């Protein structure tokens, strides 16, 4: 039987389907909802980003990055005898089916050494890194909307 296209093109549709299947598997590990970043005033050097993360399989949030800041870390914040404390949270485990909220006053993404002012209404690109139990690493691209207050649900 003669193919209606050159024989060397025959494996390409299968390869494309395999790549798409892998991409869906990797990106389906975590869903991000309600992402926003706190807008800044001129010369402000740091801000936070907040969102809800829902894991579809057991993963660990291991880091974040953004082109708008030199330093991006996942932080945890708490009150200790009336004093606000904050430190990097290097690993945030998420169980399959679990939703955690990154919010002001708790876990959040901290962006420091900002390269520019973050103005209300702008999109703030973030990349979140996750590690699965098998050691595979995946990323989720997020576009947080800058605002001075959280969006209403």
């Amino acid at each position: 039987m003669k193919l209606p296209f050159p024989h060397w093109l025959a494996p390409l549709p299968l390869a494309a389907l395999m790549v798409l299947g892998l991409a869906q598997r990797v990106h389906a590990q975590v869903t991000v909802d309600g992402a926003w970043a706190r807008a800044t005033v001129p010369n402000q050097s740091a801000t936070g980003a907040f969102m809800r993360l829902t894991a579809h399989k057991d993963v660990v949030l291991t880091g974040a990055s953004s082109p708008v800041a030199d330093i991006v870390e996942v932080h945890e914040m708490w009150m200790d005898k009336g004093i606000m404390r904050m430190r990097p949270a290097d690993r945030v485990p998420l169980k399959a089916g679990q939703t955690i909220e990154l919010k002001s006053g708790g876990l959040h993404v901290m962006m420091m050494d900002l390269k520019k002012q973050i103005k209300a209404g702008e999109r703030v690109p973030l990349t979140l890194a996750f590690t699965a139990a098998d050691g595979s690493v995946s990323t989720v691209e997020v576009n947080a909307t800058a605002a001075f207050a959280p969006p209403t649900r």
Side-chain angles (χ1 to χ4, degrees), residues 17 24 38 62 70 73 83 107 137-138 144 152:
L17 287 173
Q24 285 180 328
R38 192 169 310 279
T62 54
D70 286 330
E73 299 174 339
I83 299 171
L107 285 169
V137 176
S138 63
T152 56

Side-chain angles (χ1 to χ4, degrees), residues 65-82:
S65 62
S66 175
V68 303
D70 286 330
I71 301 169
V72 181
E73 299 174 339
V74 177
H75 275 198
E76 57 183 327
M77 188 180 104
W78 69 98
M79 295 300 289
D80 179 24
K81 298 177 185 169

Side-chain angles (χ1 to χ4, degrees), residues 16-152:
L17 287 173
M18 289 172 60
V19 168
L20 286 174
L22 177 61
Q24 285 180 328
R25 183 180 62 78
V26 169
H27 291 295
Q29 291 179 10
V30 177
T31 301
V32 178
D33 183 46
W36 72 284
R38 192 169 310 279
T40 63
V41 296
N43 300 316
Q44 184 175 335
S45 63
T47 193
F50 316 96
M51 65 206 73
R52 287 176 300 284
L53 305 174
T54 302
H56 301 287
K57 70 181 215 178
D58 291 356
V59 294
V60 176
L61 174 60
T62 54
S65 62
S66 175
V68 303
D70 286 330
I71 301 169
V72 181
E73 299 174 339
V74 177
H75 275 198
E76 57 183 327
M77 188 180 104
W78 69 98
M79 295 300 289
D80 179 24
K81 298 177 185 169
I83 299 171
M84 181 185 77
R85 306 278 184 192
M86 187 166 43
R87 69 176 170 217
D90 296 329
R91 299 176 50 82
V92 178
L94 289 93
K95 295 288 182 192
Q98 177 186 16
T99 298
I100 64 166
E101 187 164 4
L102 304 185
K103 61 184 179 180
S104 185
L107 285 169
H108 61 279
V109 175
M110 193 74 200
M111 296 178 284
M112 298 167 284
D113 292 341
L114 293 173
K115 298 177 182 178
K116 67 179 191 94
Q117 180 182 357
I118 307 297
K119 297 179 182 175
E122 288 183 343
R123 295 285 183 192
V124 179
L126 293 162
T127 302
L128 304 178
F130 297 90
T131 303
D134 65 5
S136 63
V137 176
S138 63
T139 59
V140 174
E141 302 298 323
V142 178
N143 279 307
T145 301
F148 286 105
T152 56

